[in-house]
Amino acid sequence: MFRWRKSADDEWSCTLHGRILSFRQDASHLHYRAVFPSALPTPPPSNAPSTHPSIAAEEDDTLALVRHYFNLEPNLAQLYEQWAAADANFKKKAPNFTGVRILRQDPWEALIGFICSSNNNISRISSMVHNLCKHYGPLIGHLNDEAYHDFPTPAALADPEVEAHLIKLGFGYRAKYIAKTARMVAEEKGLTWLNNLCNPESPIFGREPIPAGAFSEGGREGYQNAHQELLALHGVGPKVADCVCLMGLGWSESVPVDTHVWQIAQRDYKFGRGKHSSLTPATYNAVASHFRKLWGKEAGWAHSVLFTADLKAFSERVTAKVEVKEESVVIKAEPDGMQVEEILVKTETAKRKRVKKEDEEERPIVEVKTEVVTRSKRRKGR
DNA sequence: GCCGGACCTAACTG
DNA sequence: ACAGTTAGGTCCG
């Protein structure tokens, strides 16, 4: 999710499953197009007569991929109602705060991305992930003269010289985390090990859903197991493990407790005193379990909504404080579909710019709930 | 199990 | 100009 970039006015692009996906949103629809690599590495030699072989509509899985990736199935309104009914603070802090969905990202990419995220800021995380793709990921194609690479495989990052190179690229101490974790996954545990930690209800793209176990305050058994297993990797603590569980493995009850959530827990949920005065592993579990008990099986989703709402409120307080006289333009809603981190970057940079440079003309602000996906446009060749 | 400190980096703060 | 702080933590002793 740290890889999405603005490819044009009002258009965002990223590689996904071997193709470049671009999105544009208007008042009623989310438009997408997919650009496939002109020369696939393994083209079936049997049917390669045409220089511009178009993919038959039946064979194009892009729409299914998009639906899967953006996790569009769950009923947002119903869930918001449920969370608001169970939690007065949620009701107060996150009303009408639509447009936050939990992406179903590739487990391996999520793992490395969140290892990069530790004690770090989003713009640097993005550039780090971008550098991983640029130097170790296969080239998929170009868009507006910009190269688009896929995320590197575990084997590509397991190369012995990776760590030194990443340090040169400014990864800091995370270079070692990435190199070690890549070696463990590539040479020891295997990528299937990681993928098999997925919630069977929302498996990696292309596989059939299978019911998962029963929900409890500590989370389903599969979730607890996945969280536990991930902790064995270097650079993966409880928070990163939960991020991977939630956004890479589809365990919706996972509640990542970072410093910000910890602040919220102390301020609004009576944590931070007595036995839970500091964020120890025990406190971490208590906080996460408390939110699971409160919000239920989709606790991780509710957590992201509350988190985003809170950060936005904070951001607006800051803006109001710095820029007292200008209050005409207010960001009203986030574009749907983007993952939380992505949203936060955009709002914050937008606000910063406005405050500092009086930069007008930011991204158009749309109040939409996009549930409809239409207009498949496909391109082939170059 | 719980604490305190170190840890890469870049942008921001006083 | 420049030390201190912060950013969606983790590891080590």
Side-chain angles (χ1 to χ4, degrees), chain A residues 217-218 223 242 253-257 261 271 282-295 299:
Chain A
E217 175 181 324
Y223 157 70
D242 266 323
E253 67 266 56
S254 173
V255 179
V257 182
V261 172
F271 279 90
T283 305
Y284 184 103
N285 287 326
V287 171
S289 289
H290 177 74
F291 286 134
R292 269 191 289 273
K293 187 164 58 180
L294 203 51
W295 297 328

Side-chain angles (χ1 to χ4, degrees), chain A residues 4 19 28 62 64 72 94 97 105 111 119 139 144 179 189 200 206 247 255 311 346:
Chain A
W4 287 93
R19 72 205 76 176
S28 60
T62 301
L72 295 173
F97 206 88
Q105 301 169 62
L111 172 60
N119 195 17
L139 177 68
N144 308 325
K189 293 171 178 296
M247 297 175 234
V255 179
L311 243 187
K346 284 186 287 186

Side-chain angles (χ1 to χ4, degrees), chain A residues 60-73:
Chain A
D60 185 8
D61 57 354
T62 301
L63 178 56
L65 173 60
V66 168
R67 287 188 178 283
H68 180 267
Y69 182 76
F70 285 107
N71 196 2
L72 295 173
E73 280 312 307

Side-chain angles (χ1 to χ4, degrees), chain A residues 94-171:
Chain A
N96 313 319
F97 206 88
T98 56
V100 177
R101 282 189 184 272
I102 302 297
L103 299 185
R104 283 196 282 234
Q105 301 169 62
D106 173 71
W108 167 246
E109 177 177 348
L111 172 60
I112 297 302
F114 284 114
I115 286 177
C116 290
S117 80
S118 74
N119 195 17
N120 204 351
N121 62 74
I122 293 170
S123 71
R124 184 152 81 112
I125 300 166
S126 285
S127 87
M128 287 163 71
V129 171
H130 188 72
N131 266 326
L132 286 179
C133 296
K134 178 178 164 188
H135 292 278
Y136 297 99
L139 177 68
I140 300 299
H142 294 263
L143 207 59
N144 308 325
D145 284 335
E146 280 210 73
Y148 280 76
H149 296 257
D150 223 333
F151 195 80
T153 62
L157 294 178
D159 191 281
E161 61 186 89
V162 164
E163 181 176 341
H165 186 206
L166 293 185
I167 286 174
K168 274 189 208 145
L169 289 173
F171 277 61

Side-chain angles (χ1 to χ4, degrees), chain A residues 1 4 12-17 21-25 30-33 62-76 99-106 202 205 247 301 335-340 342-343 346 370-373:
Chain A
M1 86 245 56
W4 287 93
W12 290 80
S13 302
C14 185
T15 61
L16 208 60
H17 269 254
L21 278 184
S22 298
F23 288 91
R24 203 186 294 268
Q25 188 177 49
L30 177 63
H31 305 264
Y32 75 89
R33 67 191 167 110
T62 301
L63 178 56
L65 173 60
V66 168
R67 287 188 178 283
H68 180 267
Y69 182 76
F70 285 107
N71 196 2
L72 295 173
E73 280 312 307
N75 185 326
L76 269 179
V100 177
R101 282 189 184 272
I102 302 297
L103 299 185
R104 283 196 282 234
Q105 301 169 62
D106 173 71
S202 52
F205 180 63
M247 297 175 234
W301 199 347
D336 194 1
M338 288 298 167
Q339 207 269 343
V340 189
E342 193 68 34
I343 293 168
K346 284 186 287 186
T370 304
E371 299 291 348
V372 192
V373 183

Side-chain angles (χ1 to χ4, degrees), chain A residues 261-280 283-284 286-287:
Chain A
V261 172
W262 174 231
Q263 301 300 318
I264 295 176
Q266 293 175 89
R267 189 192 64 204
D268 299 334
Y269 297 89
K270 300 180 163 59
F271 279 90
R273 304 191 290 256
K275 192 56 218 156
H276 295 137
S277 53
S278 71
L279 190 49
T280 64
T283 305
Y284 184 103
V287 171

